Amino acid sequence: MSIEIIAAGMLTTVQDAGRIGSRAYGAGTGGAADRHSFEIANLLVGNAADAAALEITLTGPTIRLQRAATIALCGATIDAQADGVALPGWRSIALPAGCVLTCGSCRNGARTYLAIDGGIDVPRLLGSRSTDLRGNFGGHEGRALRAGDVLPLAPSRAAISTEAPHFPSWWIDAGPDLDFAESIVVHVLPGSDSTMPADALHAQDFAIDAASNRQGLRLRGHALQVADVRERISEPVVPGTVQLPPDGHPIVLLADAQTVGGYPRIGHVVSADLPRLAQRRTGQHLRFVPVDHREAHRINAEQHARVARIALAIASRR
Amino acid sequence: MANIATIERLGDAALLLRFGDRIDAAVNRRVHAWAAMLSSQAPDWLIELTPAYASLALHVDVAHSFESDPLDAAIAWISARLSQPLPDTIEDAVRTLAIPVLYGGDEGPDLAALSAHAGITIEDAVARHTSVDYSVAMLGFAPGFPYLLGLDATLAMPRMSTPRTRVPAGSVGIGGTQTGIYPQAGPGGWRLIGRTPLRLFDVARDPPSLLRAGDRVRFVAIDAARFDALNEHEQ
C-alpha cells in the first residue's frame, strides 16, 4: 500500500529519528529537526516514536491515501483538510481509503510532522530512513518529495474502518517544549571558544535570517567577535552547536549539521531546546540564556518525563 | 605514548577529547588509536565516535539515563582510561589512491586568487598541489569528504568569511592549512582550485566512501577531455 504525492509543498522530506553509526564516513545524524513534534505525531498514530514520517516545511503536501489510515499532524499549526473536513493538529485522525489530504501553510512555526500509522516504508540506508540532503541519499531517493512520487506505507497494525474523516475530542498539548512566540529564549551551554566580551552571545536578541535551513539557523544582529582570532582546525560539531564565522553572525546547527567544522564554537544549545529552534521562521527572534551542565541535565530530564507522560496518556486513550 | 588529552563537554550529549590544536600526523594517529580502542571496548554509554584531526567526539547515550547526568559517568570512565597506557596501534596495509583533477577555469574559480595570495604562478600552485602524497586524516563535514594532511604551506589560504551556498560535487578546495574534496554539491567555505570527476561517496557501494582515514592520496592533473571521459557525476 502506498501514498501518492499530488503536490509536494515547499520542502517535504521523509525523516525518522536519524542515523547512528555513520559519522566516521562524514554522514551526520540528520532526522526530524523538531524531534519532539515528530515523536508525539508517531505516538498518536500508534507507531514507535522513531518511525519514518514526513517533515513538512512552511507549506505542506497534498496526498492521496490508498488505504484507510490513522494520521497526526504535530508541530506548527497547519491548514489541513480531507474530503472537505478541516483537520486539527495534535490529534489522532482516522481517514478513509482513497482520501485526499490537503495541507496548506504552517501558521506559527516552520515545520509540521505528518505521521501515518505503520510508518513510511522506504528502505533503510546506513541504518536509517532519514533523507540526507547533503549526501543525496536516504528517505525517498535522497531528495525532497515532488508531485508524482509514490511512497510505500507499512501495513496497519490495527484495522481502521471509517467512511469519513473523524477524530476524538482530546488532543495533546505541545506544552512548554515548544514556543511559537515572536521572540523566544533558548538555553545555551558554554563552547570551547569565548567571545569578546564574554557574554556577547547572551546580550542581544537575534533575528532569524532567510538563509536558514535544516543545516542551521543563520542569525542576524550586531556582529560578534571571538576572543582568540587564530584559524582553527576542524573539530566535531553537533546539532545545537553555535558557530561564529569570521563575519560575526552566529550559525546554530540543526539536524542536518555537518559532522565537523572549523569555525569557533561559542556555545551549544541544550538538547531540549532544539525543537523550538527548528520551529523558528525567518524574521522571528531568539535570545540565548546561559546555563551550566547541571541545569541542562535538569531541563532535559524534565522534557523526557513529559514525553513519557504523554506516551502513557495516548496509550490509555487509544 | 603519553596519553595527553583534555576532556570537554560538547553540549549535553557528547564529550570531546582534544589531543592537540595543530594539524600533525602523529597526533592524528593517536586519535585513530583511541577510536579503535573505544570501539573494541565499547562501553555501554558510548553510541558513536567522530574522529577529527586532533580530537575525538564521544557521543553518549542520554536517552536512557535521567537519574544522573550520563556525561558525568562517561567523563569518569575516560579520566580513568587516560591514566593507563594506550594499546599499540594496529597498522593496516596503507592504500594509495590517485585522484584525477581538472585544475582552474570554471572547475577551480579560486585558483588564480589563491596563487596570487601565495605569490606564485598558477602552474606552480598546481605543481605544488600534485607533488605530495597526502594522508587522509578523517572523513567529515559531508558524507565521504576527506580531510588531507600534507598540504604545501605555501598554498594555505583562510576560508571565505561567508561560505558559498553551492559548491559543485567533486570540487577540490583549500581552507586554511587543510585541503579536501567536496563529494556532493552543497554549501562550502573553502577556496576551490579544481574538480575531480570521481564520486567520493556512493551509498550503493560497500563501503560507501571511496576513501577512509589512513589512506594515502595523490592528485593527478588532467584535461577537460579526460574529465569528461571519467565523469561519474550525475548531470
Side-chain angles (χ1 to χ4, degrees), chain B:
Chain B
M1 147 189 332
N3 270 336
I4 301 167
T6 58
I7 312 169
E8 193 176 295
R9 293 172 189 257
L10 194 70
D12 53 26
L15 297 182
L16 187 75
L17 293 194
R18 187 178 285 118
F19 298 92
D21 62 0
R22 256 164 279 275
I23 296 174
D24 179 296
V27 171
N28 185 247
R29 282 193 293 276
R30 190 172 307 148
V31 170
H32 291 293
W34 262 89
M37 183 276 289
L38 283 164
S39 291
S40 69
Q41 295 206 358
D44 57 8
W45 48 262
L46 181 68
I47 55 175
E48 184 153 33
L49 294 164
T50 307
Y53 269 124
S55 59
L56 180 64
L58 284 56
H59 302 270
V60 175
D61 182 1
V62 297
H64 300 105
S65 165
F66 285 88
E67 296 292 317
S68 57
D69 185 347
L71 292 193
D72 289 343
I75 289 171
W77 194 100
I78 292 290
S79 300
R81 193 64 190 80
L82 275 171
S83 66
Q84 300 159 11
L86 199 63
D88 291 339
T89 57
I90 300 160
E91 297 283 348
D92 292 328
V94 172
R95 310 185 308 170
T96 301
L97 291 88
I99 306 284
V101 178
L102 176 57
Y103 284 94
D106 289 341
E107 315 308 311
D110 300 324
L111 179 60
L114 185 139
S115 306
H117 178 265
I120 60 179
T121 63
I122 288 173
E123 290 73 23
D124 193 8
V126 173
R128 286 171 183 268
H129 199 254
T130 55
S131 59
V132 172
D133 269 2
Y134 300 89
S135 59
V136 180
M138 64 179 173
L139 303 180
F141 173 71
F145 183 106
Y147 284 79
L148 303 175
L149 292 181
L151 180 68
D152 185 320
T154 307
L155 299 178
M157 186 173 184
R159 290 176 194 81
M160 302 173 71
S161 65
T162 305
R164 284 184 171 93
T165 47
R166 194 175 187 281
V167 165
S171 294
V172 177
I174 288 173
T177 55
Q178 304 163 89
T179 190
I181 309 165
Y182 288 91
Q184 301 90 15
W190 290 18
R191 310 286 175 171
L192 307 182
I193 61 172
R195 191 172 177 213
T196 180
L198 300 184
R199 287 191 76 172
L200 262 70
F201 188 84
D202 183 346
V203 72
R205 287 194 306 234
D206 182 19
S209 177
L210 181 69
L211 300 175
R212 59 182 188 225
D215 284 347
R216 293 215 186 283
V217 163
R218 183 171 277 257
F219 293 107
V220 175
I222 60 169
D223 61 18
R226 187 90 183 112
F227 183 98
D228 291 340
L230 295 174
N231 195 359
E232 295 177 345
H233 299 300
E234 294 159 8
Q235 285 300 346

Side-chain angles (χ1 to χ4, degrees), chain A residues 1-2 47 67-68 116-122 129 151-157:
Chain A
M1 279 296 174
S2 306
N47 288 346
R67 65 157 169 82
I116 306 175
D117 75 281
I120 310 293
D121 203 16
V122 294
R129 295 187 168 94
L151 273 58
L153 193 60
S156 279
R157 260 178 285 160

Side-chain angles (χ1 to χ4, degrees), chain A residues 19-29 125-126 132-138 189-192 211 215 218 230-238 241 245-247 251 257-263 265 268-272 293-294 296-297 300-302 304, chain B residues 8-14 16 18 20-23 47-57 59 63 65-70 72 138-145 147 158-163 165 175-176 178 184-185 187 189-190 201 203 207-209:
Chain A
R19 199 160 261 122
I20 305 279
S22 292
R23 292 182 66 97
Y25 293 132
T29 312
L125 289 177
L126 300 183
D132 188 320
L133 292 171
R134 191 157 49 249
N136 305 313
F137 68 90
L189 288 156
S192 313
Q215 183 173 1
R218 296 211 183 189
R230 67 193 156 82
E231 184 92 355
R232 282 152 179 75
I233 63 175
S234 295
E235 290 190 348
V237 292
V238 292
T241 295
D247 66 7
I251 300 170
Q258 65 274 34
T259 52
V260 294
Y263 291 136
R265 303 130 225 121
H268 302 279
V269 172
V270 174
S271 293
H293 62 86
R294 272 174 286 274
H297 177 248
N300 289 330
E302 287 177 359
H304 179 82
Chain B
E8 193 176 295
R9 293 172 189 257
L10 194 70
D12 53 26
L16 187 75
R18 187 178 285 118
D21 62 0
R22 256 164 279 275
I23 296 174
I47 55 175
E48 184 153 33
L49 294 164
T50 307
Y53 269 124
S55 59
L56 180 64
H59 302 270
S65 165
F66 285 88
E67 296 292 317
S68 57
D69 185 347
D72 289 343
M138 64 179 173
L139 303 180
F141 173 71
F145 183 106
Y147 284 79
R159 290 176 194 81
M160 302 173 71
S161 65
T162 305
T165 47
Q178 304 163 89
Q184 301 90 15
W190 290 18
F201 188 84
V203 72
S209 177

Side-chain angles (χ1 to χ4, degrees), chain A residues 68 70 156-161:
Chain A
T70 306
S156 279
R157 260 178 285 160
I160 301 154
S161 175

